[in-house]
Amino acid sequence: MMLSCKEATRLMSMQMDRELSMGERLQLALHLTACAGCRNFRKQIGFLRTVTRKFGDQIDDS
Amino acid sequence: MALTFQDIEQHRNYLLRYAIFQLRDETVAEDVVQDTLLAAVEKLEAFAGQSSVKTWLTGILKHKIIDAQRRMVRDPLLLDARTDEDGDLSDFDSLFDTQGHWGSDAPRSWQSPDQSLSDQQFWKVYEECARRMPKRTAMVFAMREMLGQEIDDICKNLDITATNCSVLLYRARMSLRLCLDKHWFGGSPLEKT
């Protein structure tokens, strides 16, 4: 059963906070091979993490 | 050279902005910064100079923020809309078709996102996008992504379930991605609310 994009986005978000099960990882990998939108989504939420961690450094004393 | 009160006081505005981003409550943030500066004054002798004053103060502030977050959970007036925003993800339904696949707004590739990090305007857009999140969502997101707390600790500190926490983080990532996609990578101007 192929994941929908909506389900895939939930799994990609969860994967940033915990280990996915083998089944979840397999389903997600299959979905990502077929879906450019979800591949972009994954890169983008990874970028959000980078940005948020750097945000504190951007705050100046003014 | 010995550290003086002036050396730490000059970072007050930085500490305040950092705390407001985490706590979404200016009054609580002011108190937390005051506590941080007092704790720093009491530990002036302990500052070994192995890190910058700012980094040292940020370390103290993070502990004070976590304490404040625990207190906020126990005060329903401080954490408003506790249930309204927690479980409902229907805000994002319009992104998907009836089968749950992307509609016309499927994520497009962001051009050279890393270059944005050196653009001050990008950080203004980012801060405004983050500020638009509901308070509780923003707090969980900041605890996870800025303070680097594990899910179990966030659940314990905020007295929420792991499922609830996961939903809030999903909501935060979805809304922040959408806002940056539209107002930075898509070029649509962002008005301050």
Side-chain angles (χ1 to χ4, degrees), chain A residues 3-54:
Chain A
L3 285 179
S4 70
C5 297
K6 194 174 185 176
E7 291 165 329
T9 60
R10 285 298 309 273
L11 277 183
M12 286 186 272
S13 179
M14 284 178 194
Q15 194 171 33
M16 299 188 78
D17 307 312
R18 67 164 173 84
E19 283 274 319
L20 295 183
S21 69
M22 184 72 89
E24 288 171 328
R25 273 187 289 163
L26 184 60
Q27 282 197 305
L28 184 56
L30 280 172
H31 182 89
L32 287 171
T33 57
C35 181
C38 284
R39 289 197 297 274
N40 286 333
F41 178 88
R42 178 183 234 176
K43 283 182 199 160
Q44 290 163 4
I45 60 172
F47 177 69
L48 294 182
R49 169 164 285 178
T50 302
V51 168
T52 305
R53 290 187 174 168
K54 285 182 181 290

